[in-house]
Amino acid sequence: MRDAYIVSSVRTPGCRRGKGALKDTRPDDLLAFIMKAAVEKTGKLEPKDIDDVMIGCSFPEAEQGLNIGRLATQIAGFPITVSGATVNRFCSSGLEAIALSSLRVMAGWSEVTMGGGVESMTYVPMGGNLPRPHPEHAKVHADLYASMGITAENVANRYQVTREDQDAFAYESQMKAAKAQKEGWFTEIVPTPAAKYVLEDNGTYTKETFIQDFDDGVRATTTKEGLAKLRAVFAVNGSVTAGNSSQTTDGAAATMIASGEAVKQYGLKPIAKLKMYTTVGCAPDEMGVGPAVAIPKLLKLANMKTSDIGLWEINEAFASQALYSIRTIGIEDQMDRININGGAIALGHPLGCTGAKLCATLLANMRRKGVKYGVESMCIGGGMGAAALFELCD
């Protein structure tokens, strides 16, 4: 198979659901903007050069429904010839989209593709607008429909991840993110037009636009004492709180992928290659262990060891599952290589966008630190894990 070269990878800021800067920005507008930005970032490609677009979305309905992967290409002003699709693997949807787009290039079916993700948790709530679990099946497998917070409690209880450890992990996520913002390390963020509605004296609303250029959920003033005071929200006498869980967030991200022939034809400068991607199932009622099973499978496929990996992006859906996964994989002594700019507890987890968002962050950090190999992984609702291996280009 051919190599799939990533030639740009960018994201919007991640902003708090219902309260943040993107709460009034439609997801299709958000996605259209970052898709255009991903093309422009290459410095060489034009929209007409794209063969196909794959976009991840965990709840593709309402304002982010009707095949947003295709609609956004038209909102962005891409030629009618650029096709698009929407893919859903819940929390890894954005990474799945990048993998599928890369596979088209690897197989020789396409020369230039785009993979990305979008989720507005403001416009479409967790679970969607009209969830309908199977009535008979739910009696046998209620775990498939369980709250993600309950699965995080299960992981904490079964594998002895203490409240203190979860809060300490959450604190470090906030501190790392605050430092990264201060130092200007989020170079993958593209300043993004955001909408807001202003009430006029006559009682009508006027739509205005402003530029948002930072993740607005980071809490730099977080303290361990403050985290310890938060109550558990998913179980009586539980340990999972709002402070040690990922933030619900709005955001979009996009990655441009090209074949070796296209790299030469257009004079592109590759950032990295997607070397390997895998998924694996696990028990739905402890879906958070996904990275603990996906990463070993990935490394086995690649014939690599944990010591070969220079940077890790392991999605922080909950501190309990992230910590368990890190410990089980055996990389707790590599905390200085894991989520070095903070994770979803501080920066947010915009569901279908997250896989694409973490790709942009990982590649930016690999370039900044000169790291050859990086791994991205996450747990997935319903009981799965996903992991991808990237290799930095010289």
Side-chain angles (χ1 to χ4, degrees):
M1 295 178 73
R2 306 190 304 177
D3 284 324
Y5 293 94
I6 293 173
V7 293
S8 74
S9 190
V10 293
R11 69 177 179 93
T12 71
C15 297
R16 293 175 297 162
R17 176 189 67 84
K19 299 178 181 179
L22 300 179
K23 67 180 180 64
D24 292 324
T25 306
R26 285 181 60 107
D28 38 10
D29 286 333
L30 201 60
L31 177 59
F33 168 78
I34 204 64
M35 288 167 65
K36 288 190 291 184
V39 178
E40 292 167 2
K41 192 76 171 178
T42 68
K44 302 285 186 178
L45 293 172
E46 299 178 28
K48 66 179 178 60
D49 302 320
I50 302 171
D51 293 315
D52 189 42
V53 173
M54 296 293 293
I55 296 299
C57 185
S58 287
F59 293 97
E61 57 180 271
E63 290 86 356
Q64 56 194 32
L66 302 172
N67 190 8
I68 192 171
R70 166 60 173 172
L71 294 178
T73 66
Q74 296 303 289
I75 295 172
F78 289 8
I80 202 78
T81 53
V82 180
S83 55
T86 306
V87 60
N88 182 6
R89 199 191 284 271
F90 277 178
C91 306
S92 70
S93 297
L95 183 56
E96 185 77 22
I98 291 170
L100 290 173
S101 292
S102 297
L103 279 174
R104 290 180 69 95
V105 170
M106 291 176 179
W109 294 353
S110 298
E111 299 302 321
V112 178
T113 60
M114 177 187 289
V118 65
E119 202 82 33
S120 174
M121 300 184 76
T122 297
Y123 276 85
V124 182
M126 174 74 83
N129 292 302
L130 197 64
R132 285 290 184 270
H134 191 290
E136 287 83 23
H137 188 72
K139 295 177 182 178
V140 180
H141 282 294
D143 52 350
L144 278 171
Y145 308 105
S147 158
M148 296 300 98
I150 294 298
T151 70
E153 286 283 6
N154 289 343
V155 171
N157 292 330
R158 291 173 188 174
Y159 305 109
Q160 293 77 55
V161 185
T162 67
R163 168 70 184 269
E164 291 73 22
D165 284 351
Q166 291 174 61
D167 286 349
F169 185 86
Y171 171 77
E172 290 300 327
S173 182
Q174 295 286 356
M175 294 304 102
K176 287 188 287 186
K179 181 178 181 180
Q181 285 189 328
K182 183 178 179 181
E183 298 294 335
W185 289 339
F186 290 112
T187 56
E188 75 277 13
I189 293 178
V190 180
T192 299
K196 65 178 178 179
Y197 293 90
V198 178
L199 180 62
E200 304 292 350
D201 292 339
N202 63 5
T204 64
Y205 284 86
T206 300
K207 182 180 178 180
E208 296 183 357
T209 301
F210 63 97
I211 299 298
Q212 179 67 18
D213 61 0
F214 65 94
D215 302 305
D216 69 11
V218 179
R219 294 180 170 88
T221 58
T222 298
T223 64
K224 293 179 181 178
E225 293 76 18
L227 288 169
K229 293 177 182 177
L230 296 175
R231 66 179 182 86
V233 292
F234 298 106
V236 177
N237 299 321
S239 60
V240 179
T241 72
N244 57 39
S245 304
S246 59
Q247 295 177 30
T248 48
T249 308
D250 306 329
T255 291
M256 291 294 298
I257 301 139
S259 67
E261 288 80 358
V263 165
K264 292 176 184 176
Q265 178 184 346
Y266 296 105
L268 301 170
K269 184 172 177 56
I271 300 169
K273 292 185 283 188
L274 175 62
K275 297 294 291 182
M276 199 78 65
Y277 173 68
T278 194
T279 59
V280 62
C282 59
D285 70 342
E286 55 175 33
M287 64 90 204
V289 307
V293 289
I295 289 174
K297 183 179 179 182
L298 177 79
L299 295 178
K300 183 177 180 180
L301 287 169
N303 194 28
M304 296 177 74
K305 305 183 295 293
T306 56
S307 57
D308 296 322
I309 308 305
L311 285 177
W312 306 85
E313 281 292 334
I314 299 176
N315 190 42
E316 300 170 0
F318 300 92
S320 64
Q321 59 79 209
L323 265 174
Y324 168 77
S325 297
I326 289 167
R327 291 170 177 173
T328 301
I329 298 160
I331 56 173
E332 197 170 8
D333 62 342
Q334 298 184 34
M335 295 302 285
D336 60 338
R337 303 183 194 177
I338 303 169
N339 303 354
I340 62 172
N341 288 359
I345 290 171
L347 301 167
H349 175 19
L351 298 178
C353 166
T354 291
K357 171 182 182 288
L358 292 185
C359 174
T361 298
L362 177 60
L363 296 186
N365 284 330
M366 288 172 66
R367 293 178 81 181
R368 178 168 64 88
K369 299 184 80 68
V371 167
K372 188 169 182 63
Y373 293 108
V375 165
E376 172 187 350
S377 185
M378 66 278 294
C379 60
I380 304 167
M384 288 184 285
L389 173 68
F390 297 90
E391 179 183 351
L392 191 69
C393 292
D394 296 328

